[in-house]
Structures are given as C-alpha cells and as structure tokens.
Amino acid sequence: MTPFNQGWYLATFAVAMRVHRGHQGTRKEPHWSFLQRCAQTLVRQFPDATRAQVQAVLLHEVLADALIPANQLRGHGIDDDTRRILHAITPPDRTQPFKHVQTVADSEDVDAMRVMLAVNLTGMAEHGGIRYELACQLLSCRLMKDHA
C-alpha cells in the first residue's frame, strides 16, 4: 500500500503546501509539486519507506528556510521520529551543502540518508548538475555498503 492516500500523508502534504504557498520552483510551478515528486522518488527507491521518512522528505526545507520554527513542528502533527530526521538533514550552514551531505553519510542515520538521497535524486533528474550527482553517489554507496 502506498502512503499517498493515507490521512497522515495528506495532512503532511497540506502543511507543505501551506508553508510553501507562493513559492515557485524552477519549472515555474508551485514548489510543493517538487516536494511531492521527492516523496514519490523516496517510495519508488525504498518501498519500505517509513512514515517519518515520507513526512521528512515532504518537509525537508521547513527548518532550513525557517518556514516552521522547530518548536512548533509538533503542533503540525509531526512526530518525534520525523523531527529527528528533519534536524539531521538540515544543514547548519547552507553555503556548504555537500559538506552536510558528507556529514549525514558519515552519521549512519539510514533515515536521513534515504531522505537526502530522494531529494538529491529528484533534484538531479530535474536540474542536473554535479552537486546532485555527487550527493547521490555518496549517499547510494554508503547505503549499499553499510545498510544493504
């Protein structure tokens, strides 16, 4: 059963849509559509993706972009496991995104690696670029090596 028709998915997607209202992606479409494609990539790559992983991929930018303060995530129905993943994938310094990908890959946090891989695979498919390709290679290798 896919998560896309589950109540928790629809509620989380509604939060993503609300906080990204008015944001436009590079395809000149609402940014939330990119987030939806990230969730689809996650589930396609990892059919056993957890609820927390799916919620985190939908909300992967909310902390970095300060769209929802960390202390208010629970009020949006976001549980502890999802919040832990969001904190793990949020870079402390947005000027060095690949450095943070390396940190997550070294952390052995499978949840965070899966979410970051889904985001970067989607970004690579839509935008191209070495940044996405390197991130995907690093995360894929780490997931296959340590967590096959």
Side-chain angles (χ1 to χ4, degrees):
M1 176 187 273
T2 68
F4 305 118
N5 60 357
Q6 302 293 312
W8 59 265
Y9 177 88
L10 298 172
T12 305
F13 186 58
V15 171
M17 287 178 65
R18 187 171 54 252
V19 299
H20 288 285
R21 184 173 298 137
H23 300 177
Q24 200 172 53
T26 56
R27 291 181 168 186
K28 304 295 185 216
E29 62 188 10
H31 183 64
W32 53 259
S33 62
F34 172 75
L35 303 173
Q36 190 173 39
R37 288 190 296 278
C38 289
Q40 292 165 345
T41 299
L42 175 72
V43 172
R44 187 173 51 254
Q45 293 294 315
F46 304 103
D48 64 337
T50 66
R51 174 180 173 164
Q53 291 169 359
V54 174
Q55 287 182 307
V57 83
L58 286 171
L59 301 172
H60 74 269
E61 296 171 329
V62 298
L63 295 181
D65 292 344
L67 299 173
I68 299 176
N71 62 353
Q72 292 181 15
L73 287 170
R74 182 174 280 127
H76 290 278
I78 308 306
D79 67 15
D80 290 341
D81 202 26
T82 303
R83 288 195 314 275
R84 179 193 60 74
I85 297 169
L86 288 171
H87 285 288
I89 65 172
T90 301
D93 178 3
R94 293 198 77 174
T95 64
Q96 298 181 332
F98 190 74
K99 183 177 179 181
H100 189 64
V101 170
Q102 289 176 304
T103 300
V104 171
D106 291 342
S107 74
E108 299 187 13
D109 183 338
V110 173
D111 296 323
M113 285 191 277
R114 283 180 165 195
V115 170
M116 285 190 102
L117 180 59
V119 170
N120 281 283
L121 283 169
T122 307
M124 185 172 67
E126 295 187 9
H127 312 296
I130 192 73
R131 170 190 171 256
Y132 294 111
E133 187 175 337
L134 290 173
C136 291
Q137 288 177 2
L138 176 62
L139 291 163
S140 295
C141 288
R142 185 54 55 101
L143 282 165
M144 288 188 306
K145 176 181 177 255
D146 296 339
H147 309 284

